[in-house]
Amino acid sequence: MDGLVHNGDGKKAKLHGRAFYESIGSPKVVVAPMVEQSEFAWRLLCRSFVHTSPSTSLSPLHAYTPMFHSKLFHTGQKYRDACFQPLKMPLPDPVDPYHISQLPPSSFHLDGNPSIDRPLVVQFCSNDADDFVKAAKYVTPFCDAVNLNLGCPQGIAKRGGYGSFLQEHWDVISSIIRKAHEELDVPVTAKIRIQETREKTLAYAKMILDAGASILTIHGRRREQKGHNTGLADWSHIRYIRDNLPPETVIFANGNILQHEDIAACLIETGADAVMVAEGCLHDPTIFAEPPKEGEEGDVYWKGVDGKRGYRVDAVMRRYFDIIWKYALQTEPPNRKPLWVPGAPEIEEETTSMEELPHKNDITPSATDTNTTVTTVTTTSTPADNNQQPPNKKRKLTKSERKQDAQTKNPNLTAMQAHLFHLLRPLVAVHHDVRDALARCRVGDMRAFENVLRMVEEKCAEGMREYERDVRASSTQQETQIGGKGEQEEVKDNAAQLAAFEADPHESSRAAVERCRRPWWVCQAYVRPVPKEAIERGAMKVGKKELKRLEREKEGLERSVGLKPGGRVEVVGMSGEKKGEGEVSKNGAGEGKEEVEIPREGVVCG
């Protein structure tokens, strides 16, 4: 589906709002648009863990492309071809939708491929209606809708005048969405952040919907909530918007999704139609998947005796590499031995040696696509001893290597290293040799990346073997806790965890950390410290604007209970006589007096 429906006269009419949402299968989960991180290979990896009905080619997992710059997209062919690769040839200029519709299935390549990458929304940042529409016309034959980014809070968005820094310019936003709604063949949608008050966000949302947006995604954080000040998303704010818009309005909620269970909780608390996940799926691309049924875990899913469970990082990483080989490089993946499984015998199978893997220069452009510049590269890592110590000083890239990296434009290859550092974050915190090997990998050097995969598989097998030994040892000693902890220690630990769960999530991230913690060989969420913790650790300082906001909140609280903002403390004698601060009664210090806070005049407290 592409957001269109055939009329009786043979022409296509564009669907809108809930009709459009239902036409793409009414998905409940969505991969968020992330700059250089929600590219085809990662979207396909996330989709691969979600069951698709045999009766449809539409995945139940909806997805967005990374954010593209609208002006660069419609004015620069190199930028366009590097970002978006729907065909096994460069995008025609101009795009002829009828010509595209007549192409055979074999002509389609990666982005928006009807058989593997739908439903799909292409996101642009823009502050000009003409730029947005011109850019969108290049992608409409290959997607179900386009999206206007109104949520990016980064400095580059502020300098460029787009993303969340358009939220004060309602006339510009309205003109972009209205023009796109009137002129494009597919629906237009928008993604926003909440504003200072619920009423202001509601008015903002109504303006966007009235201009013609079919779906509104609401990120439950304000513009200033980023970096160490990210904090928690406000689901109740999203709920207010949902309850005060017409029922037929399609709302996606975004924020606070750390684990699969959070998706259902978010749907209930916000009343949204679907949940969009961003950072959560970078650290755990299996977050959208239901756990396998008992006995169907295979070699990809791990279960601990304490109830902790999840998909293995080595299995997920292997599946990701297979997607890179098969789709991005159009080459068969190398033969690999089966992953180690507890209790399974060791099996020696013929595998592809490191020397047999092709260099970048061995993969010809015709074997990949014309959008990828293939250059010769010298491998900087070898299948040498994994225990080899890292160099004392990190080696700088040569000018030639930097040039080669820059020339490799395939977004599925350029994103690999960043994705793996997200996925392997708990593992590389323990195994620094894996971290150093991954850091040395260059864009497109699949030998180096395959070497990291082998190291990861070996580390995961070692970790699970050690875990199994601890389980057997604890069983023999008839202790309830792995690692030699006795019953009293277990009770103390449980009490500490219970206390952590009772903590205010805005004050401490400890409860979330305990909830999400898994062994390092299992995919798991990264829990950001809340702002208060970041300040205590010295990672963040409170800015002047934040201090003023906190002061306003304090004053508002004081007024709500009838206190004078900034108030004063007066010492009042038992007879009612006021005494100055620090003044001592004739009867002696502290005798016959008390300190009270005086309400503001004219306010009745009750």
Side-chain angles (χ1 to χ4, degrees):
M1 292 294 295
D2 53 5
L4 304 173
V5 65
H6 288 276
N7 285 330
D9 57 5
K11 295 182 179 180
K12 289 184 176 181
K14 182 169 62 177
L15 297 176
H16 182 75
R18 189 158 295 278
F20 162 65
Y21 175 63
E22 291 173 351
S23 76
I24 60 173
S26 303
K28 294 297 181 184
V29 282
V30 187
V31 176
M34 294 170 283
V35 177
E36 297 181 359
Q37 294 286 273
S38 58
E39 79 291 345
F40 168 83
W42 200 255
R43 296 195 301 268
L44 190 58
L45 176 65
C46 294
R47 293 188 201 268
S48 71
F49 290 95
V50 181
H51 176 70
T52 301
S53 172
S55 61
T56 177
S57 61
L58 287 174
S59 169
L61 177 57
H62 191 20
Y64 284 54
T65 67
M67 180 191 77
F68 304 141
H69 192 289
S70 63
K71 187 170 185 177
L72 294 177
F73 198 90
H74 82 79
T75 59
Q77 182 176 345
K78 288 185 178 179
Y79 177 84
R80 195 161 55 239
D81 292 341
C83 292
F84 197 66
Q85 302 173 355
L87 300 173
K88 295 178 179 177
M89 66 185 83
L91 276 172
D93 188 8
V95 171
D96 180 1
Y98 176 77
H99 171 71
I100 299 297
S101 68
Q102 302 304 305
L103 291 175
S106 59
S107 297
F108 294 98
H109 190 31
L110 304 180
D111 299 292
N113 188 317
S115 63
I116 52 177
D117 193 33
R118 303 294 278 271
L120 180 70
V121 172
V122 179
Q123 187 189 65
F124 293 101
C125 65
S126 185
N127 55 19
D128 182 88
D130 289 336
D131 284 340
F132 185 85
V133 170
K134 288 177 182 178
K137 286 183 177 179
Y138 281 98
V139 304
T140 51
F142 312 103
C143 66
D144 299 281
V146 293
N147 179 268
L148 176 61
N149 182 319
L150 296 172
C152 181
Q154 304 304 322
I156 189 173
K158 183 176 183 179
R159 293 190 294 273
Y162 58 80
S164 63
F165 297 94
L166 271 183
Q167 67 185 28
E168 286 82 21
H169 305 283
W170 290 18
D171 56 335
V172 176
I173 294 172
S174 179
S175 68
I176 295 173
I177 294 176
R178 180 168 288 105
K179 185 177 180 68
H181 176 57
E182 292 172 353
E183 297 185 16
L184 296 180
D185 293 334
V186 298
V188 60
T189 66
K191 184 175 186 288
I192 67 172
R193 284 184 171 235
I194 61 174
Q195 301 206 22
E196 294 81 5
T197 67
R198 297 180 178 189
E199 293 76 17
K200 188 173 182 179
T201 307
L202 178 60
Y204 185 46
K206 286 181 176 179
M207 177 272 296
I208 292 171
L209 293 166
D210 289 345
S214 281
I215 295 176
L216 186 65
T217 300
I218 305 174
H219 186 170
R221 292 182 175 92
R222 299 185 309 278
R223 181 169 60 195
E224 62 269 22
Q225 288 184 271
K226 59 182 179 179
H228 292 300
N229 192 40
T230 296
L232 299 181
D234 187 350
W235 285 357
S236 65
H237 199 125
I238 300 175
R239 183 77 202 202
Y240 176 84
I241 306 303
R242 166 74 281 174
D243 290 345
N244 286 275
L245 288 175
E248 64 271 17
T249 306
V250 182
I251 300 290
F252 291 173
N254 178 216
N256 291 357
I257 306 300
L258 297 174
Q259 293 181 303
H260 180 74
E261 294 78 11
D262 296 333
I263 295 173
C266 183
L267 288 171
I268 293 172
E269 290 198 31
T270 64
D273 295 279
V275 175
M276 178 180 283
V277 184
E279 192 174 50
C281 77
L282 293 181
H283 294 277
D284 181 8
T286 72
I287 194 171
F288 304 101
E290 295 282 352
K293 295 180 180 179
E294 195 73 27
E296 297 180 4
E297 297 87 354
D299 59 359
V300 300
Y301 199 76
W302 178 88
K303 293 194 301 183
V305 295
D306 58 353
K308 298 285 187 180
R309 58 184 64 194
Y311 285 87
R312 294 168 46 171
V313 293
D314 54 347
V316 174
M317 185 175 173
R318 178 180 283 197
R319 185 178 295 192
Y320 176 45
F321 279 23
D322 285 349
I323 290 171
I324 293 293
W325 282 110
K326 182 178 179 180
Y327 294 98
L329 298 176
Q330 298 285 288
T331 305
E332 282 300 311
N335 294 323
R336 305 187 183 97
K337 66 180 181 181
L339 292 172
W340 184 85
V341 179
E346 296 287 347
I347 301 176
E348 290 294 333
E349 288 193 0
E350 184 178 349
T351 60
T352 303
S353 67
M354 197 65 66
E355 288 73 17
E356 293 176 302
L357 292 175
H359 281 288
K360 280 177 64 177
N361 53 302
D362 295 330
I363 305 173
T364 62
S366 60
T368 55
D369 57 74
T370 55
N371 300 316
T372 302
T373 301
V374 182
T375 58
T376 305
V377 66
T378 302
T379 304
T380 58
S381 60
T382 63
D385 183 6
N386 292 338
N387 295 321
Q388 178 183 0
Q389 294 298 314
N392 293 330
K393 185 177 180 180
K394 185 177 179 180
R395 184 181 69 82
K396 293 184 178 179
L397 296 182
T398 66
K399 184 177 180 180
S400 174
E401 288 174 333
R402 289 197 299 270
K403 184 177 180 181
Q404 289 162 2
D405 281 5
Q407 287 178 334
T408 303
K409 300 298 185 181
N410 190 320
N412 300 289
L413 301 181
T414 57
M416 285 184 68
Q417 189 180 59
H419 277 311
L420 293 176
F421 271 117
H422 281 117
L423 179 67
L424 301 177
R425 186 184 180 99
L427 186 147
V428 299
V430 177
H431 299 288
H432 295 173
D433 54 338
V434 178
R435 177 198 64 193
D436 296 333
L438 179 55
R440 288 192 294 267
C441 291
R442 302 272 60 83
V443 176
D445 188 355
M446 291 305 294
R447 286 193 180 190
F449 281 111
E450 284 287 341
N451 180 53
V452 174
L453 173 59
R454 294 189 184 190
M455 294 174 69
V456 169
E457 291 173 352
E458 291 171 4
K459 300 296 184 185
C460 289
E462 291 172 6
M464 286 183 283
R465 286 191 186 100
E466 184 177 355
Y467 181 89
E468 293 294 314
R469 287 194 295 269
D470 288 344
V471 170
R472 288 193 295 269
S474 64
S475 177
T476 301
Q477 298 170 10
Q478 295 184 347
E479 292 180 347
T480 58
Q481 195 75 0
I482 298 171
K485 292 184 180 179
E487 186 175 347
Q488 292 182 346
E489 290 180 271
E490 181 187 8
V491 171
K492 290 181 181 178
D493 284 352
N494 289 340
Q497 291 183 14
L498 181 61
F501 275 95
E502 292 174 348
D504 182 353
H506 293 275
E507 299 288 321
S508 170
S509 61
R510 186 179 171 188
V513 170
E514 291 297 329
R515 176 170 66 94
C516 297
R517 191 189 304 277
R518 300 288 185 273
W520 49 260
W521 57 84
V522 175
C523 294
Q524 56 195 281
Y526 167 60
V527 181
R528 289 179 178 270
V530 296
K532 181 180 179 181
E533 294 171 321
I535 293 171
E536 291 172 350
R537 297 172 187 177
M540 183 180 78
K541 294 182 179 180
V542 180
K544 292 180 181 179
K545 290 184 179 179
E546 183 65 12
L547 284 173
K548 289 181 180 179
R549 187 184 69 81
L550 294 173
E551 186 64 28
R552 288 195 300 270
E553 287 184 355
K554 181 180 178 182
E555 290 179 2
L557 179 62
E558 288 173 343
R559 288 193 179 96
S560 69
V561 296
L563 299 180
K564 181 178 180 180
R568 68 186 189 278
V569 174
E570 293 183 352
V571 179
V572 182
M574 296 298 288
S575 62
E577 178 188 0
K578 295 181 181 179
K579 299 184 182 296
E581 192 173 338
E583 187 177 344
V584 181
S585 168
K586 295 179 181 180
N587 295 332
E591 187 177 333
K593 65 182 181 190
E594 61 178 337
E595 291 186 354
V596 296
E597 192 163 24
I598 305 300
R600 190 180 65 176
E601 291 80 357
V603 175
V604 177
C605 300

